[in-house]
Amino acid sequence: MFREEQASFLYMNLRRKGGSDTGDLTEKLMEELNCETVFDLPVLGGISESVVVTWIIMAVLVIASVILVRNLKVENPGKVQLALESAIGWAQDFFEGIIGKENRRYIPYLITVLLYLGISNAIMPLFGFKPPTKDLNVTAALAIMSMCLIEFSGIHKNGLKHWVKHFAKPVPVVAPIMVLEVVIRPLSLCMRLFGNMLAGFVVMELLKVFVPLIIPIPVSFYFDIFDGLLQAYVFVFLTALFMNEEME
Amino acid sequence: MLQLNMNLLYTIINLVVLYLLLRHFLIKPVTEIMEKRKKLIEDGLLNAQNAQDDAAKMKREYEAALSGAKQESAKILEKAQRQAKEEYEKILQKADEKAADMMESAKESIRVQREQTIHELQSQIAGLALNAAAKIVGEKTENQGNQEIYNQFLEEVGEAFDDPDKK
């Protein structure tokens, strides 16, 4: 496997330069970085760690929403309901401001992605799971979904004909670039998220190895919580922005 | 770490499922509740606005009715005053006319009285003259001629006519 070869290559390299300590460190890092296959299913193949964590996040989100939504009241709402409503209302207003009131039907998906990304990026310091967004598969899946949504929204709004024609605007010369943009936009979304999370993760792991006490706490707040939430925000913001662009 | 495999597909399925679940369990109920509350508040505001409009309308109506009543009363008062004045003038005129009539009739009756008196006096004078004439005729027929009696008579009567007030 490519993964193992790479790992052993790195390992050998470092081993040659430094002592056995560095080798241990590399081994540790690689272990943390790898997305292990948690178990194998007979037909579906290996289920990776990120998918399992995603399942856990899904379960938590669904159970939490079932519990929170249970006793909603129109009049005299409780504090929890008010917080929930203001959060959902904020998200709805935010997306409505970007893609417009007439495209409300895309908002639930965007909110879902925002919640999922927010939790999965910040899950590392909170619950100790490896963030699923550190796995390229997850960010690629999100980006492919975004790409489908972006193109679908454009086709749905203006029709297939307009969608095909818009590649040749403003001048037909730009058509190759415009076609490339279809792929580049999700690729940039995917790589931005993946790179940010991976880099944050690596920095955190290194720091934890070198200074295991206290220092990682503020750094973790920055890399995991702040950067994680920021990347979640950026991801849905850009998806909505591209959708709006496509729907013009 | 840097490889794409079947887990990509699983993640997509996971995301779709999560989207459907969250839409059903979280976003739809919360949005519904928020819409309901919004509607409730809008209805309340609309009702309040309507009530306010109604009140303002009623106030305008009352004010219009009040000013109408004021005008009416002023009109009635004016009319009554005019009528009273007319009546007063009419009465005054009537009284004037009556007084004038009375004066006229009084003058007339005085004149009639006077004429009557004059007539009476004249007839009395004539009577007296006749008496006197008879007396004279009775006294003098025996001793005087007729010519003389006529002259005397004429003289006496002429005196009486010339100076009726002397008697």
Side-chain angles (χ1 to χ4, degrees):
Chain A
M1 292 286 279
F2 169 74
R3 206 169 27 167
E4 280 144 20
E5 278 168 19
Q6 195 187 31
S8 57
F9 175 72
L10 270 172
Y11 178 81
M12 293 297 287
N13 237 2
L14 285 165
R15 180 129 214 182
R16 236 181 292 137
K17 278 180 191 163
S20 61
D21 284 354
T22 334
D24 287 347
L25 177 63
T26 319
E27 218 168 326
K28 223 169 168 180
L29 269 179
M30 287 319 292
E31 192 199 313
E32 287 293 331
L33 281 174
N34 274 331
C35 282
E36 286 151 34
T37 301
V38 180
F39 54 87
D40 285 301
L41 286 179
V43 190
L44 298 174
I47 302 290
S48 77
E49 206 173 353
S50 54
V51 174
V52 176
V53 176
T54 302
W55 285 344
I56 295 168
I57 293 170
M58 281 165 70
V60 169
L61 272 176
V62 170
I63 290 167
S65 48
V66 167
I67 291 169
L68 286 174
V69 163
R70 217 171 24 181
N71 281 320
L72 291 185
K73 283 174 291 216
V74 176
E75 281 171 73
N76 299 324
K79 273 180 189 169
V80 179
Q81 191 190 336
L82 278 179
L84 186 71
E85 274 179 21
S86 57
I88 299 280
W90 173 82
Q92 277 176 343
D93 287 347
F94 171 69
F95 290 123
E96 240 176 58
I98 300 171
I99 61 175
K101 218 176 173 60
E102 65 275 9
N103 303 306
R104 288 183 67 114
R105 64 175 163 282
Y106 303 118
I107 291 176
Y109 174 74
L110 293 169
I111 291 177
T112 305
V113 173
L114 180 66
L115 281 174
Y116 171 67
L117 281 181
I119 290 185
S120 55
N121 289 350
I123 203 170
M124 172 70 189
L126 296 178
F127 301 105
F129 293 115
K130 283 184 194 169
T133 38
K134 185 183 67 64
D135 187 354
L136 190 62
N137 287 311
V138 173
T139 59
L142 281 162
I144 287 166
M145 295 280 287
S146 283
M147 182 182 77
C148 293
L149 200 67
I150 290 165
E151 303 308 327
F152 171 78
S153 68
I155 293 169
H156 185 88
K157 179 82 188 294
N158 296 323
L160 194 62
K161 230 171 160 182
H162 182 277
W163 182 75
V164 174
K165 271 185 195 164
H166 96 284
F167 287 111
K169 278 174 191 172
V171 280
V173 182
V174 299
I177 299 168
M178 295 293 279
V179 173
L180 269 180
E181 202 182 28
V182 174
V183 184
I184 288 170
R185 281 198 296 219
L187 191 68
S188 76
L189 282 176
C190 162
M191 286 309 172
R192 178 184 301 112
L193 184 58
F194 171 71
N196 265 287
M197 294 329 291
L198 185 76
F201 186 78
V202 170
V203 169
M204 280 315 298
E205 288 305 323
L206 283 174
L207 199 67
K208 269 187 236 171
V209 170
F210 289 119
V211 195
L213 219 63
I214 297 178
I215 304 291
I217 296 172
V219 183
S220 169
F221 265 102
Y222 177 77
F223 278 114
D224 291 323
I225 311 259
F226 174 70
D227 194 39
L229 295 181
L230 189 71
Q231 288 310 315
Y233 174 84
V234 165
F235 189 92
V236 286
F237 176 70
L238 283 177
T239 303
L241 215 60
F242 290 148
M243 279 167 74
N244 188 45
E245 209 173 87
E246 202 65 32
M247 279 187 286
E248 269 173 3
Chain B
M1 168 177 79
L2 263 175
Q3 59 188 353
L4 296 174
N5 51 27
M6 282 300 280
N7 287 310
L8 190 149
L9 191 67
Y10 303 152
T11 307
I12 288 180
I13 294 167
N14 280 347
L15 277 172
V16 172
V17 171
L18 180 65
Y19 161 62
L20 293 174
L21 284 173
L22 278 192
R23 194 180 65 169
H24 184 253
F25 284 113
L26 179 67
I27 293 160
K28 210 185 253 176
V30 173
T31 311
E32 265 171 20
I33 284 286
M34 281 162 80
E35 292 287 325
K36 261 188 213 161
R37 179 170 314 119
K38 206 172 148 194
K39 198 161 174 289
L40 195 79
I41 290 166
E42 272 171 4
D43 283 356
L45 283 177
L46 199 71
N47 283 344
Q49 188 65 43
N50 283 346
Q52 210 174 8
D53 286 351
D54 280 355
K57 205 171 134 197
M58 273 164 91
K59 197 183 160 200
R60 267 204 304 281
E61 274 171 11
Y62 287 147
E63 272 172 359
L66 212 62
S67 76
K70 256 183 200 163
Q71 277 178 352
E72 191 110 330
S73 73
K75 221 188 272 173
I76 288 168
L77 206 65
E78 202 186 338
K79 202 173 159 190
Q81 272 178 343
R82 212 173 50 229
Q83 272 181 348
K85 207 174 166 189
E86 273 173 14
E87 196 80 3
Y88 166 76
E89 276 174 358
K90 223 191 309 188
I91 289 167
L92 212 62
Q93 207 180 350
K94 241 187 205 166
D96 271 355
E97 276 171 11
K98 218 172 178 179
D101 276 359
M102 276 167 83
M103 279 293 260
E104 198 79 4
S105 69
K107 270 184 188 166
E108 183 70 28
S109 73
I110 288 166
R111 198 176 55 82
V112 169
Q113 201 87 23
R114 188 162 159 252
E115 273 174 10
Q116 227 172 352
T117 314
I118 289 169
H119 274 294
E120 264 173 29
L121 281 173
Q122 272 179 347
S123 59
Q124 267 182 10
I125 288 164
L128 272 175
L130 267 174
N131 278 347
K135 221 185 234 179
I136 292 165
V137 171
E139 276 178 11
K140 296 221 177 137
T141 20
E142 294 151 8
N143 47 13
Q144 282 175 352
N146 280 341
Q147 192 59 45
E148 228 176 321
I149 292 164
Y150 270 120
N151 284 342
Q152 202 180 350
F153 173 72
L154 279 175
E155 215 174 303
E156 274 185 27
V157 171
E159 271 175 17
F161 266 100
D162 280 347
D163 202 7
D165 298 324
K166 261 185 182 170
K167 261 211 291 181

